[in-house]
Each structure stands twice: as C-alpha cells, then as structure tokens.
C-alpha cells in the first residue's frame, strides 16, 4: 500500500517520491536533475527507484 502512495507522489512530484524512498542520496539529486531537464524523465526515474526497492 505504501508503494502505491509513493508512486502517486512520484507522478505528481518526482523528487519527493524519490526522497521518501532513499533520502538525500545520489538518486535524489539525479532525480532533481532529470526533473529539471524534463518532467517525464523525472517521473520514469522516480517510479523505477520506487519499484526497484
């Protein structure tokens, strides 16, 4: 259930979804960069990070 909520958050605000999953690690900063370069790559990365763990 919590993964479902994290995925919904990741679709709305990708860096927040990654932050809730991994904290302030490298994946979080990469997600911020991807989100700034394009919203869709940020979403894909966030969902991948959440689904992987």
């Amino acid at each position: 259930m919590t993964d479902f909520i994290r995925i919904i958050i990741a679709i709305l605000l990708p860096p927040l979804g990654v932050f809730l999953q991994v904290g302030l690690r490298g994946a979080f900063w990469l997600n911020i960069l991807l989100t700034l370069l394009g919203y869709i790559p940020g979403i894909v990365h966030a969902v991948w990070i959440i689904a992987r763990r």
Side-chain angles (χ1 to χ4, degrees):
M1 185 64 166
T2 59
D3 283 343
F4 178 73
I5 294 170
R6 286 184 184 148
I7 289 175
I8 296 299
I9 291 171
I11 291 171
L12 297 174
L13 191 61
L16 181 59
V18 174
F19 174 75
L20 292 174
Q21 187 71 27
V22 299
L24 289 174
R25 295 188 180 171
F28 171 73
W29 298 109
L30 176 61
N31 190 268
I32 287 180
L33 179 65
L34 288 171
T35 303
L36 289 174
L37 292 175
Y39 189 68
I40 300 299
I43 291 174
V44 171
H45 179 256
V47 170
W48 180 70
I49 291 291
I50 292 169
R52 187 176 68 154
R53 294 183 186 216

mmCIF file of all heavy atoms in Angstrom:
data_model
loop_
_atom_site.group_PDB
_atom_site.id
_atom_site.type_symbol
_atom_site.label_atom_id
_atom_site.label_comp_id
_atom_site.label_asym_id
_atom_site.label_seq_id
_atom_site.Cartn_x
_atom_site.Cartn_y
_atom_site.Cartn_z
ATOM 1 N N MET A 1 0.821 -1.198 0.000
ATOM 2 C CA MET A 1 0.000 0.000 0.000
ATOM 3 C C MET A 1 0.863 1.258 0.000
ATOM 4 O O MET A 1 0.558 2.211 -0.698
ATOM 5 C CB MET A 1 -0.936 -0.034 1.211
ATOM 6 C CG MET A 1 -1.904 1.099 1.228
ATOM 7 S SD MET A 1 -2.999 0.970 -0.188
ATOM 8 C CE MET A 1 -4.239 2.091 0.265
ATOM 9 N N THR A 2 1.937 1.256 0.758
ATOM 10 C CA THR A 2 2.769 2.455 0.813
ATOM 11 C C THR A 2 3.498 2.688 -0.504
ATOM 12 O O THR A 2 3.739 3.835 -0.860
ATOM 13 C CB THR A 2 3.795 2.385 1.959
ATOM 14 O OG1 THR A 2 4.625 1.246 1.778
ATOM 15 C CG2 THR A 2 3.102 2.316 3.298
ATOM 16 N N ASP A 3 3.849 1.616 -1.230
ATOM 17 C CA ASP A 3 4.478 1.802 -2.542
ATOM 18 C C ASP A 3 3.510 2.470 -3.506
ATOM 19 O O ASP A 3 3.914 3.293 -4.320
ATOM 20 C CB ASP A 3 4.959 0.473 -3.113
ATOM 21 C CG ASP A 3 6.242 0.000 -2.460
ATOM 22 O OD1 ASP A 3 6.910 0.836 -1.820
ATOM 23 O OD2 ASP A 3 6.572 -1.182 -2.598
ATOM 24 N N PHE A 4 2.234 2.122 -3.421
ATOM 25 C CA PHE A 4 1.229 2.744 -4.284
ATOM 26 C C PHE A 4 1.152 4.250 -4.013
ATOM 27 O O PHE A 4 1.119 5.054 -4.944
ATOM 28 C CB PHE A 4 -0.133 2.080 -4.057
ATOM 29 C CG PHE A 4 -1.235 2.695 -4.868
ATOM 30 C CD1 PHE A 4 -1.302 2.472 -6.226
ATOM 31 C CD2 PHE A 4 -2.175 3.511 -4.262
ATOM 32 C CE1 PHE A 4 -2.314 3.048 -6.978
ATOM 33 C CE2 PHE A 4 -3.186 4.090 -5.003
ATOM 34 C CZ PHE A 4 -3.260 3.859 -6.368
ATOM 35 N N ILE A 5 1.165 4.618 -2.758
ATOM 36 C CA ILE A 5 1.117 6.040 -2.390
ATOM 37 C C ILE A 5 2.381 6.748 -2.863
ATOM 38 O O ILE A 5 2.321 7.865 -3.380
ATOM 39 C CB ILE A 5 0.913 6.195 -0.867
ATOM 40 C CG1 ILE A 5 -0.467 5.672 -0.491
ATOM 41 C CG2 ILE A 5 1.072 7.652 -0.443
ATOM 42 C CD1 ILE A 5 -0.697 5.539 0.997
ATOM 43 N N ARG A 6 3.535 6.096 -2.709
ATOM 44 C CA ARG A 6 4.787 6.694 -3.180
ATOM 45 C C ARG A 6 4.794 6.878 -4.693
ATOM 46 O O ARG A 6 5.323 7.860 -5.196
ATOM 47 C CB ARG A 6 5.975 5.848 -2.752
ATOM 48 C CG ARG A 6 6.272 5.978 -1.296
ATOM 49 C CD ARG A 6 7.500 5.201 -0.935
ATOM 50 N NE ARG A 6 7.718 5.270 0.497
ATOM 51 C CZ ARG A 6 8.258 4.318 1.215
ATOM 52 N NH1 ARG A 6 8.681 3.232 0.638
ATOM 53 N NH2 ARG A 6 8.401 4.466 2.517
ATOM 54 N N ILE A 7 4.221 5.943 -5.417
ATOM 55 C CA ILE A 7 4.164 6.071 -6.875
ATOM 56 C C ILE A 7 3.256 7.232 -7.266
ATOM 57 O O ILE A 7 3.578 8.001 -8.180
ATOM 58 C CB ILE A 7 3.724 4.750 -7.533
ATOM 59 C CG1 ILE A 7 4.863 3.730 -7.410
ATOM 60 C CG2 ILE A 7 3.338 4.953 -8.993
ATOM 61 C CD1 ILE A 7 4.542 2.350 -7.894
ATOM 62 N N ILE A 8 2.133 7.405 -6.574
ATOM 63 C CA ILE A 8 1.248 8.547 -6.847
ATOM 64 C C ILE A 8 1.987 9.856 -6.564
ATOM 65 O O ILE A 8 1.940 10.796 -7.365
ATOM 66 C CB ILE A 8 -0.039 8.458 -5.992
ATOM 67 C CG1 ILE A 8 -0.853 7.231 -6.362
ATOM 68 C CG2 ILE A 8 -0.871 9.727 -6.137
ATOM 69 C CD1 ILE A 8 -1.339 7.192 -7.785
ATOM 70 N N ILE A 9 2.718 9.911 -5.462
ATOM 71 C CA ILE A 9 3.501 11.106 -5.143
ATOM 72 C C ILE A 9 4.577 11.325 -6.195
ATOM 73 O O ILE A 9 4.837 12.456 -6.607
ATOM 74 C CB ILE A 9 4.115 10.985 -3.728
ATOM 75 C CG1 ILE A 9 3.011 11.050 -2.681
ATOM 76 C CG2 ILE A 9 5.147 12.073 -3.483
ATOM 77 C CD1 ILE A 9 3.470 10.727 -1.273
ATOM 78 N N ALA A 10 5.202 10.237 -6.670
ATOM 79 C CA ALA A 10 6.254 10.348 -7.683
ATOM 80 C C ALA A 10 5.719 10.887 -9.000
ATOM 81 O O ALA A 10 6.426 11.581 -9.723
ATOM 82 C CB ALA A 10 6.917 8.991 -7.906
ATOM 83 N N ILE A 11 4.481 10.582 -9.317
ATOM 84 C CA ILE A 11 3.887 11.107 -10.550
ATOM 85 C C ILE A 11 3.607 12.599 -10.401
ATOM 86 O O ILE A 11 3.828 13.375 -11.329
ATOM 87 C CB ILE A 11 2.616 10.313 -10.909
ATOM 88 C CG1 ILE A 11 3.005 8.896 -11.325
ATOM 89 C CG2 ILE A 11 1.835 11.009 -12.013
ATOM 90 C CD1 ILE A 11 1.841 7.955 -11.490
ATOM 91 N N LEU A 12 3.172 12.999 -9.230
ATOM 92 C CA LEU A 12 2.860 14.414 -9.008
ATOM 93 C C LEU A 12 4.118 15.254 -8.788
ATOM 94 O O LEU A 12 4.217 16.376 -9.300
ATOM 95 C CB LEU A 12 1.925 14.556 -7.806
ATOM 96 C CG LEU A 12 0.558 13.888 -7.955
ATOM 97 C CD1 LEU A 12 -0.209 13.977 -6.649
ATOM 98 C CD2 LEU A 12 -0.218 14.522 -9.083
ATOM 99 N N LEU A 13 5.051 14.738 -8.005
ATOM 100 C CA LEU A 13 6.281 15.463 -7.679
ATOM 101 C C LEU A 13 7.416 14.437 -7.551
ATOM 102 O O LEU A 13 7.676 13.926 -6.459
ATOM 103 C CB LEU A 13 6.096 16.244 -6.374
ATOM 104 C CG LEU A 13 7.173 17.247 -6.025
ATOM 105 C CD1 LEU A 13 7.274 18.326 -7.100
ATOM 106 C CD2 LEU A 13 6.863 17.895 -4.692
ATOM 107 N N PRO A 14 8.092 14.130 -8.661
ATOM 108 C CA PRO A 14 9.074 13.040 -8.680
ATOM 109 C C PRO A 14 10.163 13.120 -7.611
ATOM 110 O O PRO A 14 10.442 12.100 -6.963
ATOM 111 C CB PRO A 14 9.666 13.126 -10.091
ATOM 112 C CG PRO A 14 8.605 13.767 -10.912
ATOM 113 C CD PRO A 14 7.901 14.712 -9.998
ATOM 114 N N PRO A 15 10.804 14.272 -7.375
ATOM 115 C CA PRO A 15 11.855 14.265 -6.346
ATOM 116 C C PRO A 15 11.349 13.905 -4.941
ATOM 117 O O PRO A 15 12.067 13.269 -4.179
ATOM 118 C CB PRO A 15 12.399 15.697 -6.372
ATOM 119 C CG PRO A 15 12.105 16.181 -7.742
ATOM 120 C CD PRO A 15 10.793 15.546 -8.090
ATOM 121 N N LEU A 16 10.135 14.273 -4.619
ATOM 122 C CA LEU A 16 9.584 13.930 -3.310
ATOM 123 C C LEU A 16 9.407 12.420 -3.180
ATOM 124 O O LEU A 16 9.711 11.839 -2.130
ATOM 125 C CB LEU A 16 8.261 14.646 -3.065
ATOM 126 C CG LEU A 16 7.597 14.374 -1.718
ATOM 127 C CD1 LEU A 16 8.512 14.774 -0.568
ATOM 128 C CD2 LEU A 16 6.265 15.096 -1.625
ATOM 129 N N GLY A 17 8.936 11.787 -4.232
ATOM 130 C CA GLY A 17 8.788 10.330 -4.203
ATOM 131 C C GLY A 17 10.121 9.626 -3.993
ATOM 132 O O GLY A 17 10.216 8.675 -3.222
ATOM 133 N N VAL A 18 11.158 10.105 -4.664
ATOM 134 C CA VAL A 18 12.483 9.508 -4.502
ATOM 135 C C VAL A 18 13.023 9.805 -3.109
ATOM 136 O O VAL A 18 13.611 8.942 -2.468
ATOM 137 C CB VAL A 18 13.449 10.015 -5.597
ATOM 138 C CG1 VAL A 18 14.860 9.518 -5.347
ATOM 139 C CG2 VAL A 18 12.975 9.571 -6.972
ATOM 140 N N PHE A 19 12.814 11.019 -2.630
ATOM 141 C CA PHE A 19 13.277 11.372 -1.286
ATOM 142 C C PHE A 19 12.640 10.472 -0.235
ATOM 143 O O PHE A 19 13.314 10.019 0.693
ATOM 144 C CB PHE A 19 12.962 12.839 -0.976
ATOM 145 C CG PHE A 19 13.279 13.231 0.431
ATOM 146 C CD1 PHE A 19 14.593 13.427 0.829
ATOM 147 C CD2 PHE A 19 12.270 13.388 1.371
ATOM 148 C CE1 PHE A 19 14.895 13.776 2.138
ATOM 149 C CE2 PHE A 19 12.562 13.737 2.681
ATOM 150 C CZ PHE A 19 13.883 13.933 3.062
ATOM 151 N N LEU A 20 11.362 10.198 -0.355
ATOM 152 C CA LEU A 20 10.686 9.336 0.615
ATOM 153 C C LEU A 20 11.230 7.916 0.568
ATOM 154 O O LEU A 20 11.175 7.187 1.561
ATOM 155 C CB LEU A 20 9.176 9.324 0.362
ATOM 156 C CG LEU A 20 8.453 10.639 0.643
ATOM 157 C CD1 LEU A 20 6.999 10.531 0.209
ATOM 158 C CD2 LEU A 20 8.551 11.013 2.105
ATOM 159 N N GLN A 21 11.769 7.513 -0.582
ATOM 160 C CA GLN A 21 12.284 6.155 -0.729
ATOM 161 C C GLN A 21 13.738 6.032 -0.276
ATOM 162 O O GLN A 21 14.083 5.099 0.432
ATOM 163 C CB GLN A 21 12.163 5.711 -2.194
ATOM 164 C CG GLN A 21 12.509 4.267 -2.428
ATOM 165 C CD GLN A 21 11.483 3.318 -1.879
ATOM 166 O OE1 GLN A 21 10.315 3.643 -1.763
ATOM 167 N NE2 GLN A 21 11.917 2.135 -1.523
ATOM 168 N N VAL A 22 14.604 6.969 -0.691
ATOM 169 C CA VAL A 22 16.040 6.808 -0.447
ATOM 170 C C VAL A 22 16.669 7.908 0.399
ATOM 171 O O VAL A 22 17.819 7.789 0.791
ATOM 172 C CB VAL A 22 16.823 6.689 -1.775
ATOM 173 C CG1 VAL A 22 16.377 5.481 -2.551
ATOM 174 C CG2 VAL A 22 16.714 7.945 -2.599
ATOM 175 N N GLY A 23 15.983 8.982 0.645
ATOM 176 C CA GLY A 23 16.566 10.082 1.406
ATOM 177 C C GLY A 23 17.411 10.976 0.506
ATOM 178 O O GLY A 23 17.169 11.078 -0.685
ATOM 179 N N LEU A 24 18.413 11.607 1.075
ATOM 180 C CA LEU A 24 19.237 12.565 0.330
ATOM 181 C C LEU A 24 20.453 11.900 -0.312
ATOM 182 O O LEU A 24 21.556 12.414 -0.235
ATOM 183 C CB LEU A 24 19.700 13.695 1.261
ATOM 184 C CG LEU A 24 18.620 14.665 1.702
ATOM 185 C CD1 LEU A 24 19.169 15.632 2.732
ATOM 186 C CD2 LEU A 24 18.039 15.412 0.524
ATOM 187 N N ARG A 25 20.270 10.788 -0.927
ATOM 188 C CA ARG A 25 21.357 10.081 -1.608
ATOM 189 C C ARG A 25 21.464 10.549 -3.047
ATOM 190 O O ARG A 25 20.750 11.441 -3.491
ATOM 191 C CB ARG A 25 21.122 8.584 -1.547
ATOM 192 C CG ARG A 25 21.170 8.072 -0.130
ATOM 193 C CD ARG A 25 21.138 6.594 -0.104
ATOM 194 N NE ARG A 25 21.180 6.152 1.293
ATOM 195 C CZ ARG A 25 21.004 4.916 1.652
ATOM 196 N NH1 ARG A 25 20.779 3.985 0.762
ATOM 197 N NH2 ARG A 25 21.060 4.596 2.927
ATOM 198 N N GLY A 26 22.352 9.919 -3.790
ATOM 199 C CA GLY A 26 22.613 10.299 -5.173
ATOM 200 C C GLY A 26 21.392 10.209 -6.072
ATOM 201 O O GLY A 26 21.224 11.021 -6.983
ATOM 202 N N ALA A 27 20.528 9.214 -5.833
ATOM 203 C CA ALA A 27 19.342 9.053 -6.671
ATOM 204 C C ALA A 27 18.410 10.251 -6.556
ATOM 205 O O ALA A 27 17.765 10.646 -7.529
ATOM 206 C CB ALA A 27 18.599 7.770 -6.297
ATOM 207 N N PHE A 28 18.356 10.851 -5.375
ATOM 208 C CA PHE A 28 17.521 12.035 -5.179
ATOM 209 C C PHE A 28 18.021 13.194 -6.034
ATOM 210 O O PHE A 28 17.250 13.855 -6.725
ATOM 211 C CB PHE A 28 17.504 12.418 -3.700
ATOM 212 C CG PHE A 28 16.850 13.747 -3.417
ATOM 213 C CD1 PHE A 28 15.483 13.881 -3.502
ATOM 214 C CD2 PHE A 28 17.615 14.854 -3.077
ATOM 215 C CE1 PHE A 28 14.873 15.108 -3.241
ATOM 216 C CE2 PHE A 28 17.031 16.072 -2.813
ATOM 217 C CZ PHE A 28 15.650 16.205 -2.899
ATOM 218 N N TRP A 29 19.330 13.442 -5.986
ATOM 219 C CA TRP A 29 19.900 14.557 -6.742
ATOM 220 C C TRP A 29 19.817 14.303 -8.239
ATOM 221 O O TRP A 29 19.582 15.226 -9.021
ATOM 222 C CB TRP A 29 21.341 14.809 -6.302
ATOM 223 C CG TRP A 29 21.387 15.183 -4.856
ATOM 224 C CD1 TRP A 29 21.853 14.420 -3.840
ATOM 225 C CD2 TRP A 29 20.887 16.393 -4.261
ATOM 226 N NE1 TRP A 29 21.691 15.089 -2.642
ATOM 227 C CE2 TRP A 29 21.098 16.296 -2.874
ATOM 228 C CE3 TRP A 29 20.294 17.538 -4.769
ATOM 229 C CZ2 TRP A 29 20.742 17.305 -1.992
ATOM 230 C CZ3 TRP A 29 19.937 18.540 -3.887
ATOM 231 C CH2 TRP A 29 20.156 18.422 -2.514
ATOM 232 N N LEU A 30 19.995 13.044 -8.654
ATOM 233 C CA LEU A 30 19.829 12.707 -10.064
ATOM 234 C C LEU A 30 18.397 12.955 -10.505
ATOM 235 O O LEU A 30 18.151 13.467 -11.595
ATOM 236 C CB LEU A 30 20.215 11.241 -10.304
ATOM 237 C CG LEU A 30 20.004 10.722 -11.718
ATOM 238 C CD1 LEU A 30 20.856 11.508 -12.710
ATOM 239 C CD2 LEU A 30 20.317 9.249 -11.781
ATOM 240 N N ASN A 31 17.443 12.631 -9.648
ATOM 241 C CA ASN A 31 16.050 12.845 -9.993
ATOM 242 C C ASN A 31 15.715 14.323 -10.118
ATOM 243 O O ASN A 31 14.945 14.711 -10.995
ATOM 244 C CB ASN A 31 15.121 12.174 -8.989
ATOM 245 C CG ASN A 31 13.704 12.170 -9.464
ATOM 246 O OD1 ASN A 31 12.945 13.079 -9.160
ATOM 247 N ND2 ASN A 31 13.365 11.160 -10.249
ATOM 248 N N ILE A 32 16.285 15.149 -9.266
ATOM 249 C CA ILE A 32 16.077 16.595 -9.400
ATOM 250 C C ILE A 32 16.604 17.072 -10.747
ATOM 251 O O ILE A 32 15.933 17.828 -11.456
ATOM 252 C CB ILE A 32 16.731 17.357 -8.237
ATOM 253 C CG1 ILE A 32 15.917 17.150 -6.975
ATOM 254 C CG2 ILE A 32 16.845 18.848 -8.550
ATOM 255 C CD1 ILE A 32 16.457 17.836 -5.756
ATOM 256 N N LEU A 33 17.786 16.608 -11.125
ATOM 257 C CA LEU A 33 18.356 16.990 -12.415
ATOM 258 C C LEU A 33 17.477 16.515 -13.566
ATOM 259 O O LEU A 33 17.189 17.278 -14.499
ATOM 260 C CB LEU A 33 19.770 16.417 -12.551
ATOM 261 C CG LEU A 33 20.482 16.706 -13.857
ATOM 262 C CD1 LEU A 33 20.733 18.203 -14.000
ATOM 263 C CD2 LEU A 33 21.771 15.922 -13.935
ATOM 264 N N LEU A 34 17.035 15.274 -13.522
ATOM 265 C CA LEU A 34 16.176 14.744 -14.585
ATOM 266 C C LEU A 34 14.845 15.488 -14.650
ATOM 267 O O LEU A 34 14.320 15.739 -15.738
ATOM 268 C CB LEU A 34 15.929 13.251 -14.377
ATOM 269 C CG LEU A 34 17.116 12.341 -14.644
ATOM 270 C CD1 LEU A 34 16.796 10.924 -14.195
ATOM 271 C CD2 LEU A 34 17.493 12.365 -16.115
ATOM 272 N N THR A 35 14.295 15.839 -13.511
ATOM 273 C CA THR A 35 13.030 16.573 -13.483
ATOM 274 C C THR A 35 13.202 17.969 -14.064
ATOM 275 O O THR A 35 12.317 18.468 -14.764
ATOM 276 C CB THR A 35 12.470 16.632 -12.055
ATOM 277 O OG1 THR A 35 12.310 15.299 -11.566
ATOM 278 C CG2 THR A 35 11.119 17.326 -12.024
ATOM 279 N N LEU A 36 14.334 18.604 -13.784
ATOM 280 C CA LEU A 36 14.579 19.929 -14.357
ATOM 281 C C LEU A 36 14.793 19.862 -15.866
ATOM 282 O O LEU A 36 14.405 20.780 -16.593
ATOM 283 C CB LEU A 36 15.800 20.570 -13.684
ATOM 284 C CG LEU A 36 15.604 21.007 -12.240
ATOM 285 C CD1 LEU A 36 16.930 21.483 -11.657
ATOM 286 C CD2 LEU A 36 14.545 22.080 -12.127
ATOM 287 N N LEU A 37 15.413 18.787 -16.340
ATOM 288 C CA LEU A 37 15.648 18.636 -17.776
ATOM 289 C C LEU A 37 14.378 18.240 -18.523
ATOM 290 O O LEU A 37 14.244 18.531 -19.707
ATOM 291 C CB LEU A 37 16.745 17.604 -18.025
ATOM 292 C CG LEU A 37 18.135 18.024 -17.563
ATOM 293 C CD1 LEU A 37 19.114 16.873 -17.738
ATOM 294 C CD2 LEU A 37 18.605 19.260 -18.299
ATOM 295 N N GLY A 38 13.485 17.574 -17.834
ATOM 296 C CA GLY A 38 12.226 17.155 -18.445
ATOM 297 C C GLY A 38 11.396 16.423 -17.418
ATOM 298 O O GLY A 38 11.901 15.552 -16.718
ATOM 299 N N TYR A 39 10.164 16.756 -17.329
ATOM 300 C CA TYR A 39 9.302 16.205 -16.283
ATOM 301 C C TYR A 39 9.129 14.685 -16.423
ATOM 302 O O TYR A 39 9.175 13.958 -15.432
ATOM 303 C CB TYR A 39 7.951 16.918 -16.332
ATOM 304 C CG TYR A 39 7.040 16.602 -15.179
ATOM 305 C CD1 TYR A 39 7.351 17.030 -13.902
ATOM 306 C CD2 TYR A 39 5.873 15.881 -15.368
ATOM 307 C CE1 TYR A 39 6.525 16.744 -12.829
ATOM 308 C CE2 TYR A 39 5.029 15.597 -14.317
ATOM 309 C CZ TYR A 39 5.361 16.024 -13.047
ATOM 310 O OH TYR A 39 4.541 15.742 -11.997
ATOM 311 N N ILE A 40 8.969 14.216 -17.653
ATOM 312 C CA ILE A 40 8.744 12.788 -17.901
ATOM 313 C C ILE A 40 9.951 11.935 -17.476
ATOM 314 O O ILE A 40 9.754 10.912 -16.818
ATOM 315 C CB ILE A 40 8.363 12.538 -19.376
ATOM 316 C CG1 ILE A 40 7.082 13.280 -19.732
ATOM 317 C CG2 ILE A 40 8.231 11.043 -19.671
ATOM 318 C CD1 ILE A 40 5.863 12.861 -18.936
ATOM 319 N N PRO A 41 11.194 12.315 -17.817
ATOM 320 C CA PRO A 41 12.324 11.506 -17.321
ATOM 321 C C PRO A 41 12.390 11.450 -15.793
ATOM 322 O O PRO A 41 12.768 10.422 -15.225
ATOM 323 C CB PRO A 41 13.550 12.219 -17.893
ATOM 324 C CG PRO A 41 13.056 12.939 -19.085
ATOM 325 C CD PRO A 41 11.645 13.338 -18.758
ATOM 326 N N GLY A 42 12.008 12.525 -15.139
ATOM 327 C CA GLY A 42 11.970 12.522 -13.680
ATOM 328 C C GLY A 42 10.948 11.540 -13.140
ATOM 329 O O GLY A 42 11.206 10.838 -12.161
ATOM 330 N N ILE A 43 9.792 11.478 -13.777
ATOM 331 C CA ILE A 43 8.742 10.532 -13.356
ATOM 332 C C ILE A 43 9.202 9.097 -13.570
ATOM 333 O O ILE A 43 9.051 8.246 -12.696
ATOM 334 C CB ILE A 43 7.427 10.800 -14.116
ATOM 335 C CG1 ILE A 43 6.826 12.116 -13.680
ATOM 336 C CG2 ILE A 43 6.433 9.670 -13.886
ATOM 337 C CD1 ILE A 43 5.605 12.526 -14.489
ATOM 338 N N VAL A 44 9.767 8.823 -14.745
ATOM 339 C CA VAL A 44 10.220 7.461 -15.049
ATOM 340 C C VAL A 44 11.283 7.019 -14.048
ATOM 341 O O VAL A 44 11.226 5.903 -13.524
ATOM 342 C CB VAL A 44 10.749 7.387 -16.502
ATOM 343 C CG1 VAL A 44 11.423 6.053 -16.762
ATOM 344 C CG2 VAL A 44 9.623 7.628 -17.493
ATOM 345 N N HIS A 45 12.221 7.880 -13.762
ATOM 346 C CA HIS A 45 13.272 7.541 -12.806
ATOM 347 C C HIS A 45 12.689 7.322 -11.414
ATOM 348 O O HIS A 45 13.070 6.370 -10.721
ATOM 349 C CB HIS A 45 14.324 8.657 -12.777
ATOM 350 C CG HIS A 45 15.423 8.420 -11.810
ATOM 351 N ND1 HIS A 45 15.495 9.087 -10.605
ATOM 352 C CD2 HIS A 45 16.483 7.587 -11.842
ATOM 353 C CE1 HIS A 45 16.565 8.677 -9.958
ATOM 354 N NE2 HIS A 45 17.194 7.754 -10.697
ATOM 355 N N ALA A 46 11.788 8.169 -10.994
ATOM 356 C CA ALA A 46 11.192 8.040 -9.657
ATOM 357 C C ALA A 46 10.420 6.726 -9.521
ATOM 358 O O ALA A 46 10.561 6.016 -8.518
ATOM 359 C CB ALA A 46 10.289 9.220 -9.365
ATOM 360 N N VAL A 47 9.620 6.407 -10.512
ATOM 361 C CA VAL A 47 8.847 5.160 -10.452
ATOM 362 C C VAL A 47 9.790 3.953 -10.472
ATOM 363 O O VAL A 47 9.574 2.967 -9.758
ATOM 364 C CB VAL A 47 7.813 5.101 -11.602
ATOM 365 C CG1 VAL A 47 7.180 3.730 -11.699
ATOM 366 C CG2 VAL A 47 6.758 6.171 -11.404
ATOM 367 N N TRP A 48 10.856 4.044 -11.255
ATOM 368 C CA TRP A 48 11.831 2.950 -11.308
ATOM 369 C C TRP A 48 12.514 2.754 -9.947
ATOM 370 O O TRP A 48 12.662 1.623 -9.489
ATOM 371 C CB TRP A 48 12.866 3.242 -12.396
ATOM 372 C CG TRP A 48 13.890 2.173 -12.518
ATOM 373 C CD1 TRP A 48 13.706 0.902 -12.998
ATOM 374 C CD2 TRP A 48 15.263 2.259 -12.147
ATOM 375 N NE1 TRP A 48 14.887 0.207 -12.941
ATOM 376 C CE2 TRP A 48 15.864 1.028 -12.429
ATOM 377 C CE3 TRP A 48 16.039 3.281 -11.619
ATOM 378 C CZ2 TRP A 48 17.194 0.776 -12.184
ATOM 379 C CZ3 TRP A 48 17.374 3.031 -11.377
ATOM 380 C CH2 TRP A 48 17.943 1.789 -11.656
ATOM 381 N N ILE A 49 12.892 3.835 -9.295
ATOM 382 C CA ILE A 49 13.525 3.762 -7.978
ATOM 383 C C ILE A 49 12.569 3.142 -6.957
ATOM 384 O O ILE A 49 12.948 2.277 -6.169
ATOM 385 C CB ILE A 49 13.995 5.153 -7.495
ATOM 386 C CG1 ILE A 49 15.166 5.637 -8.330
ATOM 387 C CG2 ILE A 49 14.343 5.150 -6.016
ATOM 388 C CD1 ILE A 49 16.442 4.875 -8.133
ATOM 389 N N ILE A 50 11.318 3.545 -6.983
ATOM 390 C CA ILE A 50 10.339 3.029 -6.013
ATOM 391 C C ILE A 50 10.029 1.572 -6.287
ATOM 392 O O ILE A 50 9.957 0.754 -5.372
ATOM 393 C CB ILE A 50 9.064 3.906 -6.042
ATOM 394 C CG1 ILE A 50 9.388 5.291 -5.494
ATOM 395 C CG2 ILE A 50 7.950 3.253 -5.221
ATOM 396 C CD1 ILE A 50 8.312 6.302 -5.720
ATOM 397 N N ALA A 51 9.865 1.205 -7.549
ATOM 398 C CA ALA A 51 9.515 -0.182 -7.894
ATOM 399 C C ALA A 51 10.690 -1.134 -7.664
ATOM 400 O O ALA A 51 10.482 -2.318 -7.377
ATOM 401 C CB ALA A 51 9.068 -0.251 -9.344
ATOM 402 N N ARG A 52 11.896 -0.624 -7.782
ATOM 403 C CA ARG A 52 13.086 -1.464 -7.625
ATOM 404 C C ARG A 52 13.276 -1.917 -6.184
ATOM 405 O O ARG A 52 13.776 -2.990 -5.927
ATOM 406 C CB ARG A 52 14.308 -0.688 -8.090
ATOM 407 C CG ARG A 52 15.573 -1.483 -8.132
ATOM 408 C CD ARG A 52 16.673 -0.665 -8.674
ATOM 409 N NE ARG A 52 16.978 0.389 -7.700
ATOM 410 C CZ ARG A 52 18.140 0.977 -7.588
ATOM 411 N NH1 ARG A 52 19.099 0.675 -8.402
ATOM 412 N NH2 ARG A 52 18.345 1.921 -6.685
ATOM 413 N N ARG A 53 12.886 -1.114 -5.230
ATOM 414 C CA ARG A 53 13.154 -1.449 -3.823
ATOM 415 C C ARG A 53 11.985 -2.064 -3.172
ATOM 416 O O ARG A 53 10.968 -1.933 -3.058
ATOM 417 C CB ARG A 53 13.598 -0.201 -3.088
ATOM 418 C CG ARG A 53 14.912 0.245 -3.637
ATOM 419 C CD ARG A 53 15.439 1.429 -2.921
ATOM 420 N NE ARG A 53 16.641 1.847 -3.621
ATOM 421 C CZ ARG A 53 17.691 2.333 -3.020
ATOM 422 N NH1 ARG A 53 17.698 2.481 -1.754
ATOM 423 N NH2 ARG A 53 18.731 2.676 -3.712
#
